[in-house]
Amino acid sequence: MAGNGRRPDASTPAGPGADTYVAMVARAEALIPKLRERASKTEDLRRLPPETERDLHDAGLFRIVQPKRVGGSELDYVALVDCADALGRADASAAWNFANLASHHWMLGMFDRHAQDAVWSKDADALIASSFIFAAGRATKVEGGYRLNGHWPFSSGVESCEWNMLASVVSSEDEAEGVEYRIFLLNKSDYKINDTWNATGLRGTGSNDVRVVDAFVAHRMTIAVGDLTGGPTPGSSVNPNALYALPVFSLFPYVLSGVGLGNAQACLDDYVEIARHRASTYNRTKVGDMQSTQIKIAEASAKIDAARLIMRTNCLEAMADARRGHVPNIAAKTRLRRDGAFSVNLCTDAVSLLFTASGARSLFTSGALQRQFRDAHAVNSHLAFNFDAAGTNYGRVALGLPSENLTL
């Protein structure tokens, strides 16, 4: 495997859960062959096949960052990167839905215990979808909670979920109160799913729209974005692990960045394997003997290895900060967002480089390369990986200007 794609042992989280951590990553890696075999079926279905969801459940992967008190593994945050990296080497759509849905167990651990119990006391395996597009919703304060309306796109894996976390702006008659961003936890009985997901990349994620019309959401089933900026949260009383004191939206890119990483690693591994045996159709020269091939392997692997180092280092350092009760300042938070976007852009660049180097072979729909190329660019299209947005905000803060990202 070029670049190995494996974490150095020294960077594996230490402590009482280390064995579980290694076991969970190994379980993700063990699924690679069968998920890769199903990748075309996943695209045709436009959602994960039931057997893939069952495999992820049976492996315990959806619950890697769920609190131990309800049977989760409560692994360090970097587990999302490492497990998505492994699954992404099989199928980016499967990795995307795994990472999305697993991360919502982590976020629910920060809600009021009432919200946690509403979900986990009934079914600790219940899946939770999301759409964190605040402008898509409008909430109004009423006695005991809120009235919520909105139409949210890109709710990945929603067909399989019992619950959904939907982000909204809270309206106020008094403009002096300012804008409030809040996340609302709704049961599937409170929203309608619109089947809209017909996409060129990440085709198997089932990232459909959801619509809410005048739903009442009790206050305890919501959480303010201001409670998710780092430090104690409403859920800290029952989930004291530093995992649930991380700044959510500062680290948001790393929920999904491992998908782009694994997809790029698979693309590189496939390219190397083919180059070892393939002869040029033009002059029958062995492709692996060409200097241009060797240079492209070096460049792509350097980009992927650099991306992995950035992603994992930031996640490990964030956990270390949280354990010592340190909340990063706005400069550090914008750097996390900058690095999250930059590292995924590196992965996309690597895939594009290898796609171009593969010539006409890359055009065949029967091969994995065209899917890896489409998926790489689909991952990169997520706002969290838009370097112009992340870079602009980082530059503003570096220059002493206020951050434009109100969720940090």
Side-chain angles (χ1 to χ4, degrees):
M1 179 181 295
N4 231 328
R6 295 186 178 275
R7 304 159 311 283
D9 290 341
S11 64
T12 298
D19 290 344
T20 303
Y21 189 97
V22 172
M24 281 297 176
V25 175
R27 290 183 192 180
E29 290 173 338
L31 290 176
I32 291 174
K34 71 169 65 170
L35 296 189
R36 186 156 187 164
E37 185 178 333
R38 288 183 200 140
S40 294
K41 177 181 179 180
T42 301
E43 288 210 317
D44 290 342
L45 287 175
R46 297 184 295 119
R47 58 172 291 181
L48 296 193
E51 57 267 36
T52 294
E53 289 184 2
R54 178 44 48 199
D55 285 338
L56 294 169
H57 274 299
D58 289 347
L61 288 166
F62 283 128
R63 301 176 67 180
I64 59 170
V65 285
Q66 184 186 46
K68 284 183 179 178
R69 71 179 187 85
V70 293
S73 296
E74 204 169 293
L75 299 181
D76 279 7
Y77 188 76
V78 73
L80 288 169
V81 171
D82 288 342
C83 290
D85 177 4
L87 296 172
R89 285 179 251 156
D91 178 3
S93 288
W96 184 271
N97 276 16
F98 146 74
N100 256 305
L101 303 183
S103 74
H104 301 147
H105 282 302
W106 165 62
M107 289 185 64
L108 183 56
M110 302 179 192
F111 276 65
D112 183 279
R113 181 170 184 165
H114 175 86
Q116 297 179 43
D117 290 347
V119 177
W120 291 329
S121 65
K122 295 177 182 177
D123 181 6
D125 283 312
L127 297 178
I128 308 163
S130 72
S131 180
F132 296 126
I133 301 175
F134 291 89
R138 284 293 181 273
T140 305
K141 291 180 182 179
V142 296
E143 185 176 354
Y146 303 82
R147 285 286 170 187
L148 181 65
N149 290 274
H151 185 174
W152 290 262
F154 308 127
S155 190
S156 297
V158 65
E159 291 280 0
S160 304
C161 295
E162 291 292 315
W163 299 84
N164 209 318
M165 291 181 179
L166 298 173
S168 178
V169 175
V170 178
S171 302
S172 173
E173 294 181 2
D174 184 1
E175 294 184 0
E177 293 184 15
V179 175
E180 183 188 17
Y181 287 168
R182 189 167 281 270
I183 297 170
F184 297 79
L185 180 63
L186 282 74
N187 184 265
K188 67 179 183 179
S189 60
D190 289 324
Y191 56 84
K192 300 293 184 185
I193 301 170
N194 294 339
D195 185 356
T196 56
W197 191 243
N198 289 284
T200 58
L202 296 174
R203 286 179 54 82
T205 60
S207 300
N208 289 310
D209 292 8
V210 295
R211 184 182 294 275
V212 174
V213 178
D214 202 32
F216 173 75
V217 186
H219 181 77
R220 290 191 295 180
M221 298 295 284
T222 76
I223 191 167
V225 167
D227 287 330
L228 302 174
T229 57
T233 66
S236 292
S237 61
V238 290
N239 302 316
N241 190 318
L243 177 65
Y244 307 104
L246 292 170
V248 171
F249 287 101
S250 304
L251 289 164
F252 186 58
Y254 306 95
V255 168
L256 297 166
S257 65
V259 179
L261 180 63
N263 183 65
Q265 186 68 58
C267 186
L268 174 61
D269 293 343
D270 290 351
Y271 181 84
V272 170
E273 184 61 26
I274 290 168
R276 284 191 179 122
H277 307 290
R278 180 181 165 219
S280 168
T281 55
Y282 178 68
N283 59 13
R284 308 311 298 167
T285 301
K286 191 174 180 182
V287 172
D289 288 340
M290 297 178 181
Q291 186 184 52
S292 60
T293 297
Q294 297 158 4
I295 292 171
K296 287 177 172 58
I297 289 170
E299 183 178 350
S301 63
K303 290 177 185 290
I304 294 166
D305 288 351
R308 180 176 287 107
L309 182 62
I310 291 169
M311 293 176 196
R312 301 198 75 256
T313 298
N314 282 346
C315 292
L316 291 166
E317 288 181 352
M319 282 297 305
D321 279 347
R323 286 193 174 99
R324 61 188 178 92
H326 173 72
V327 177
N329 61 22
I330 193 65
K333 288 178 176 180
T334 58
R335 181 184 62 79
L336 287 169
R337 295 293 298 233
R338 178 203 69 185
D339 288 359
F342 183 74
S343 57
V344 168
N345 286 192
L346 285 175
C347 295
T348 307
D349 290 346
V351 173
S352 295
L353 173 72
L354 298 171
F355 183 84
T356 301
S358 297
R361 183 185 66 83
S362 63
L363 303 177
F364 287 92
T365 57
S366 58
L369 182 55
Q370 50 79 30
R371 185 183 70 252
Q372 291 160 348
F373 179 81
R374 290 186 285 106
D375 286 345
H377 285 272
V379 170
N380 210 96
S381 69
H382 194 288
L383 181 60
F385 307 127
N386 184 315
F387 190 76
D388 285 353
T392 295
N393 203 42
Y394 176 84
R396 285 181 58 84
V397 172
L399 292 166
L401 300 171
S403 169
E404 291 184 327
N405 187 333
L406 301 181
T407 66
L408 299 182

